[in-house]
Amino acid sequence: MQELINIFVKAIFVENMIFAYFLGMCSYLAVSKKVDTAVGLGAAVIFVLGITVPVNYLLENYVLKEGALSWLGPQYANVDLSFLSFILFIAVIASMVQLVEMVVEKFAPALYGALGIFLPLIAVNCSILGGSLFMQERNYNTIGEATIFGLGSGVGWFLAIVAIAAIREKIRYSNIPAPLRGLGITFIVTGLMGIAFMAFMGIKL
Amino acid sequence: MAEATETLEKQKKQSEPLFGKKNRRLISDPLNDNNPITVQVLGICSALAITVKMYPALVMSLSVLFVMGAGNVIVSLMRNLIPNRIRIIVQLVVVASLVILVDQVLKAFVYDVSKELSVFVGLIITNCIIMGRFEAFALTNKPWKSFLDGVGNAFGYAWILLAVAFFRELLGSGTVFGLQIIPDSWYLDAGGFYSDNGLMLLPPMALITVGVIIWVQRAKNSKLIEED
């Protein structure tokens, strides 16, 4: 249990998707003008990361890894399909997003109203594929750990985008040099927030 | 009348040479007025994480150049065959196959750099520049133009990447491409006055460097200033 909490907290703060790895910056910069929309996109990211990371974990451990196919029979024990991981991961993500969109539309129309327009955007959000690739690189032991890692990364991303959206709503009233307005100042503010988040670095959990 | 149409046809033929003015604009626009990173805000994800040193940044730029050029041509060739509803998955498969190719080549020939780039080679797949140009350009244009557009945007991406990496490496570790620029005698250890700014090596400084580049670019090019 303690191990799971460690992974969760680490994924949110120490290895924050935005501030430590810059993943999902494109939608982070494009959809952070208002807090409401930022909350919608952030929730959709948590949701999709929480689903795709465990699915890709199963794929990695039962299909792709060297020796992962040994459940088919001893003659498959040496097959190593890991070079296919990019294409399979992205296919899983694209189809999961499509599936999630349809299921949510059918069973939770209210949620669909809130998340609907963001779901297609998410297939090409780097943080989703990044979550799966980090999961592969860090070799988590159980599917529980992988799921918690996915959810934690999503929560970290959510926090980051809501924070920057709130700052951008306020910053509109400040007197910024004209060439820095909009994109420039957003970059610099994100950089300063990143420096603040670096205080979490080196914390051993 | 016949003469008129003939000259018109001639003009039409003349107006589309291989490196005509329009085609040259496809390459030059993304370098400044329509830069993918500082103006279109695409492809930032990977641009920032790998700019601590020049060499990985160069390798990354070349990988993106290859994937964009080849991918734009492939998507453009298939543009009339792709059903509209599944186009995103088709595009992702095209990019993913090209990226696997790049990844295997990097692992085979420059293993150290490949380790350093870690997941970011894979993340070329979801690099928004690539999907963005497929959607905005390759799906509606002929292969040669798409190729030029891809190459132009990749160069626009590359020069920002290299500029950021140049400043971060020079100020952060006193080297460029691994060659020492700041003389040894300047350093405090040797009795000098200089020491490297370790802050530049930290990830957040990439964001601030890009912010400053945007500032300089927009100060020179007032068309780009945002109203908001």
Side-chain angles (χ1 to χ4, degrees):
Chain A
M1 191 62 207
Q2 203 190 353
E3 183 69 10
L4 291 184
I5 296 173
N6 281 350
I7 291 178
F8 190 66
V9 173
K10 215 170 155 189
I12 295 178
F13 294 109
V14 184
E15 286 158 352
N16 188 293
M17 279 283 179
I18 297 258
F19 297 126
Y21 298 106
F22 311 114
L23 296 181
M25 287 295 284
C26 312
S27 24
Y28 167 85
L29 290 168
V31 197
S32 61
K33 285 200 176 124
K34 283 213 180 99
V35 173
D36 301 351
T37 43
V39 169
L41 184 67
V45 166
I46 298 181
F47 198 56
V48 173
L49 263 175
I51 293 175
T52 54
V53 173
V55 170
N56 280 336
Y57 178 85
L58 292 178
L59 203 62
E60 159 81 5
N61 280 289
Y62 291 101
V63 181
L64 294 172
K65 233 200 223 165
E66 190 175 0
L69 279 173
S70 51
W71 54 272
L72 272 179
Q75 69 271 36
Y76 294 105
N78 294 325
V79 180
D80 180 7
L81 291 177
S82 51
F83 67 93
L84 282 178
S85 52
F86 293 159
I87 204 163
L88 280 180
F89 284 178
I90 198 70
V92 164
I93 288 168
S95 39
M96 277 325 257
V97 169
Q98 201 90 50
L99 204 69
V100 165
E101 196 182 346
M102 289 192 297
V103 170
V104 171
E105 189 179 11
K106 180 94 174 113
F107 294 106
L111 187 65
Y112 182 77
L115 299 187
I117 41 166
F118 300 117
L119 284 170
L121 264 181
I122 283 180
V124 287
N125 187 323
C126 330
S127 62
I128 309 288
L129 183 62
S132 291
L133 292 177
F134 278 126
M135 175 275 297
Q136 185 188 31
E137 207 179 70
R138 290 177 194 159
N139 282 324
Y140 287 110
N141 293 322
T142 63
I143 186 165
E145 286 182 14
T147 316
I148 290 293
F149 167 73
L151 286 174
S153 313
V155 173
W157 202 88
F158 175 90
L159 276 184
I161 192 168
V162 172
I164 193 77
I167 292 177
R168 281 180 81 170
E169 275 191 2
K170 287 278 174 234
I171 222 169
R172 208 169 296 147
Y173 304 110
S174 331
N175 189 11
I176 305 161
L180 261 182
R181 255 174 233 161
L183 193 58
I185 195 71
T186 312
F187 265 105
I188 292 179
V189 168
T190 310
L192 294 176
M193 285 163 77
I195 292 177
F197 261 73
M198 293 206 65
F200 293 112
M201 230 178 228
I203 293 179
K204 277 256 156 60
L205 284 172
Chain B
M1 190 65 191
E3 211 174 299
T5 48
E6 210 169 78
T7 48
L8 208 77
E9 261 172 25
K10 234 183 212 167
Q11 269 177 355
K12 225 181 197 174
K13 259 183 202 158
Q14 275 173 352
S15 69
E16 292 253 2
L18 217 46
F19 282 104
K21 206 174 181 191
K22 263 191 190 158
N23 286 350
R24 260 181 292 154
R25 283 194 68 84
L26 286 178
I27 292 218
S28 64
D29 256 6
L31 293 184
N32 187 8
D33 286 357
N34 205 9
N35 188 285
I37 293 188
T38 60
V39 181
Q40 304 177 53
V41 209
L42 297 174
I44 315 225
C45 326
S46 54
L48 302 171
I50 40 106
T51 48
V52 176
K53 292 248 152 67
M54 295 279 287
Y55 189 54
L58 183 70
V59 173
M60 187 72 181
S61 309
L62 291 178
S63 314
V64 170
L65 180 69
F66 168 75
V67 174
M68 280 215 68
N72 255 3
V73 170
I74 293 172
V75 169
S76 168
L77 286 173
M78 298 197 304
R79 70 186 186 282
N80 297 324
L81 302 173
I82 304 176
N84 202 30
R85 307 198 73 184
I86 59 161
R87 66 179 194 285
I88 294 199
I89 294 190
V90 174
Q91 289 164 5
L92 283 174
V93 170
V94 170
V95 192
S97 328
L98 289 168
V99 170
I100 290 177
L101 210 65
V102 169
D103 186 47
Q104 299 289 320
V105 169
L106 288 184
K107 271 190 186 142
F109 292 104
V110 278
Y111 188 72
D112 307 343
V113 181
S114 157
K115 267 265 140 333
E116 210 166 320
L117 294 175
S118 76
V119 299
F120 291 98
V121 178
L123 287 173
I124 297 178
I125 298 173
T126 47
N127 192 322
C128 337
I129 291 188
I130 295 179
M131 297 295 289
R133 292 327 292 175
F134 282 4
E135 283 280 300
F137 202 90
L139 273 178
T140 47
N141 282 286
K142 295 219 170 86
W144 173 244
K145 278 193 167 174
S146 306
F147 176 72
L148 291 179
D149 181 74
V151 170
N153 276 287
F155 277 132
Y157 172 85
W159 89 256
I160 298 281
L161 215 65
L162 290 173
V164 175
F166 174 78
F167 286 114
R168 286 183 75 191
E169 191 178 348
L170 182 65
L171 300 176
S173 31
T175 56
V176 170
F177 278 112
L179 295 172
Q180 196 166 1
I181 298 292
I182 312 286
D184 263 336
S185 58
W186 284 19
Y187 283 102
L188 284 174
D189 294 343
F193 57 91
Y194 185 84
S195 69
D196 288 326
N197 183 355
L199 196 62
M200 292 304 280
L201 298 177
L202 301 179
M205 287 313 286
L207 287 163
I208 293 180
T209 315
V210 175
V212 173
I213 289 181
I214 291 175
W215 189 0
V216 172
Q217 191 193 13
R218 292 191 180 180
K220 294 212 155 157
N221 195 343
S222 51
K223 272 185 302 193
L224 299 177
I225 293 178
E226 285 173 52
E227 280 304 312
D228 190 350

